[in-house]
Structure formats: structure tokens, C-alpha cells
Amino acid sequence: MMNIEKTYAASLDQQDDLANFRNEFYLPKNTIYLDGNSLGLLSKRAENKINDMVESWKHHAIDGWTEGSQPWYYLSEKLGAMSAPLIGAKPEEVMITGSTTINLHQITASFYKPEGKRTKILADTLNFPSDIYALKSQLKLKGYDPDEHLVQVKSKDGHTLSTQDIVEAMTDETAFIVLPGVLYRSGQVLDMQTLTREAHKRDIPIGFDLCHSIGSIPHQLSEWGVDFAFWCTYKHLNAGPGSVAGLYVNEKHLCHEPGLAGWFSSAKDKQFDMEHTLTPAQDAGAYQIGTPHLLSAAPLLGSLEMFQEAGIEKIRKKSLQLTQYFMELIESELTGFGFTIANPRDTAMRGGHVYLEHPDAARICKALKADGVIPDFRKPNGIRLAPVALYNTFTEVWETIQILKTIMKEERYQSYVNERGVIA
Ligand SMILES: *Cc1c(COP(=O)(O)O)cnc(C)c1O
């Protein structure tokens, strides 16, 4: 029998060995923040690192490239090495650079090599639109019609993808595969290991968009032999709006010229020789293009330090407990109100958030916000609730359920229009 008492939530918080990290974040006042999978919260450590970066500019000016506590010239490499344990990669395989979408362009330009009848890109119908736009534009650049050359695996239930369906779509016409690690709506974790093995049996390079999985679940990219990956750092990694993204390239692909080159693709000791022939870096640094966005990279120094201390295994364990508790309370407290839990239940397939569907989802989200709970709405009828291991509590999950129950009982959502806002 499910324990629905608040004291039970409090007892779970007391047993939580990550509880102290909550004190390191700026929590919006009188608010339960459940949107850390869209924009993670600011931590004091991230803030300090931004301030340090501003100071180093102030005091060192041009010499900041090589002097000060974090010489700028090596910061992307350092942050890449700090990110490596989160994805199970070697330090030299990871770089902090660009944005998610730019890194996908870079990776496609580098690894999509159509030849003979192998010309197609395999993706899926549930991925985030930016990835699909990028892939279509890359096809057009190569003179291919996206309607014919972009194959998108369909979902049978509208929420999840089956490994078998994806594998069946890998044919001798497939030149390149890009899939999400965790789906942004339903939170399904794809079986990256099996998909990689199957792609490689067919000699197809494969990689993953880790926007919703990095900082939320562990990965073993090197061990699985994944060819490439890319991700943003402002969701579960809490590095702030527009913070610099990440990119992983398996060591077997290092030491090549990137598809999109620039002077930061250079071997670091050669870059300032200013030659017109590029000598690419021997590590994932070769996939950088221009001058790093240092002010937007700095917060990651503070943020990643916390992930190092907490450890991704512990984060995953607490995250699964939080979402499990959420689902159990939804089932015992919110029956009869028309909610459907549309995320996978199984712990191997469940990412870091709960995904509820309801015909009035848009205005239920507005009512939740008015009552101090920040969810996020996803068209057409989805409510994402992300209890984040580093800063949310079991008591907040309990309180959210009580607030949601009152909203439904009193039909408070009726006073709002059932449409999304500009940003939803
Ligand atoms: C958040 C997200 C993006 C965003 O791309 P940016 O280049 O950072 O704007 C792309 N893909 C997925 C799957 C995302 O979740």
C-alpha cells in the first residue's frame, strides 16, 4: 500500500545523501521548480565561475588566454575532460564547444559521407525539431531531397520508439544515424548500446543527441563504441541560458580534418603559426570552429564540479526514486481526473522526468504556475514534470501532487485559455 503521508516524503528527504546540494542553488522564492530539464537553476558555484571569468578579463586582458587561474586557451579542453565521466568517454574524446545544433551540423558535415546507394540519413519522428531541420539542411547542401533521403522511424504509440523498428530501418542505403539518448517528450531512454551494435554490424556510423540524458543518466559511450554525440549544457547540467554545448567523437575518428573547419580546429601548438594549411588537433578539439564563448563556458566549471562530487550513479538513483514516487502519488491521488502517465515505467527506459497527458494540459500548466509550481507544457497535451536530483526534494513532489489535486478538484484551470504561451 502506497504511503501518501507528507511525513513519508520527509523521511525520504532525510535519507537522501544528495540533499546538501540543494543549498548550493538559487531556488526561486515560494516556488517548486520542476523545469530543470528545460533550464537548470543557477548554482552559487556557477555564478562564482562567471564572476572569476569577468575578473580575469578585467585584470589580464589579452594575457587571459594563457594566464590567470583558468587560462582561456585551454578551457574548452579542460571542460571536455571534466564532462567525460558523465558520458563514459576518454577526456580527449570530449570538447565543450558551439551549441547543440551547431555541433550536429559539424558532426553531420564530418561523418555523413554518402556513397553509391548509401545516401540516406536515419532519424526518428519524435526528436526535437532543431535536429531534424539541421539534418534536412545538410541533405540539401549535398544536393539530396530530404523527403527521400531523410528516413524517420515512426512511433507506434506516439510516445516511444522500439529498438526493433529502428534496427529494421537500418538498411544498405543508410549512410548515417542520429537519434536522441532520451526523448524530450516522453523521457524514454533509448538502448544506445544495442542500437550502436546493430548499426556497426551494418557499417553505419551512429550517434546520439544527449540533451535530455547528460547529467540525468549514466552513459558508456566509449565502451559501446558510439561514433559521436552532442548535447546542451543548460538543461540538466545547469550552466545557464545559452551556455556552451558539448561534443564527443570516438577516438577511432580522431586525427582527421573536421567537416566544418576553423582556426580553433588546429593543434594548439600550431594555431598561432597562422598557416593557411590546417593542422587539425589530435583530440576532439579538431571539431571546434572559432573562438570559444568563454563567458558562457565559465559557469560549467562550477556546475560540473558538483556532478563530480555527487557522481552520476547517485544522481540517477535519486532521480529514479523521485520519478517513481511521483508516479505512485499520481496513481493514488489523482485518479478520476483524466491524467495519463505517458512516460515509460520501466527503470531502464525511464529518463529524468514524468510526462503526463491531459486534454487541458496547457491551462493546467498555467494554473500550476499561478500556484507556484513550474512545470512545462509540450504541445499538444503534455505536462513535463522534472524532479531534479541535485535540487528537488521528495516533499516538493508531495506538495506538487496536493496542489495539482486542488486545481483539478476545484477546476481552477477553467479560468485560463487552453493554449500555449510564447515559450512553452
Ligand atoms: C534542447 C534541445 C536542443 C536545443 O538545441 P540548441 O542548439 O541548444 O538550441 C536540440 N535538441 C534537443 C533534443 C534538445 O532537447
Side-chain angles (χ1 to χ4, degrees), residues 43 98 126 195 203 328 394:
S43 63
L126 299 180
L195 291 167
D203 283 330
E328 286 172 8
F394 291 89

Side-chain angles (χ1 to χ4, degrees), residues 53 56-57 59-75 264 268-269 271-272 294:
M53 182 58 75
S56 85
W57 178 19
H59 296 296
H60 298 286
I62 188 71
D63 289 335
W65 285 103
T66 50
E67 290 173 11
S69 58
Q70 300 293 346
W72 309 335
Y73 196 48
Y74 305 101
L75 188 65
F264 268 81
K268 297 207 95 63
D269 56 336
Q271 183 169 341
F272 279 85
L294 292 153

Side-chain angles (χ1 to χ4, degrees), residues 99-102 127-128 130-131 180 184 209 211-212 232 234-235:
S99 76
T100 314
T101 313
I102 289 174
N127 202 348
F128 197 82
S130 199
D131 297 36
Y184 79 101
D209 179 331
C211 280
H212 279 274
C232 68
Y234 48 78
K235 292 171 181 163

Side-chain angles (χ1 to χ4, degrees), residues 95-108 128 130-131 134 209-211 229-235 240-248 260 287-293 296:
M95 197 57 43
I96 292 302
T97 183
S99 76
T100 314
T101 313
I102 289 174
N103 291 347
L104 174 55
H105 275 292
Q106 171 66 291
I107 279 164
T108 312
F128 197 82
S130 199
D131 297 36
D209 179 331
L210 306 181
C211 280
F230 53 97
W231 57 89
C232 68
T233 58
Y234 48 78
K235 292 171 181 163
S243 53
V244 182
L247 173 151
Y248 150 91
L260 304 177
Y287 296 86
Q288 297 178 95
I289 302 175
T291 305
H293 303 170
S296 316

Side-chain angles (χ1 to χ4, degrees), residues 36 114 133 198 207-208 224 253 260 262 300 347 353 365 385 400 403:
Y133 302 162
E198 293 299 321
F208 298 92
W224 301 337
H253 301 300
L260 304 177
L300 254 185
T347 52
H353 64 262
C365 285
L385 301 164
T400 298
I403 291 167

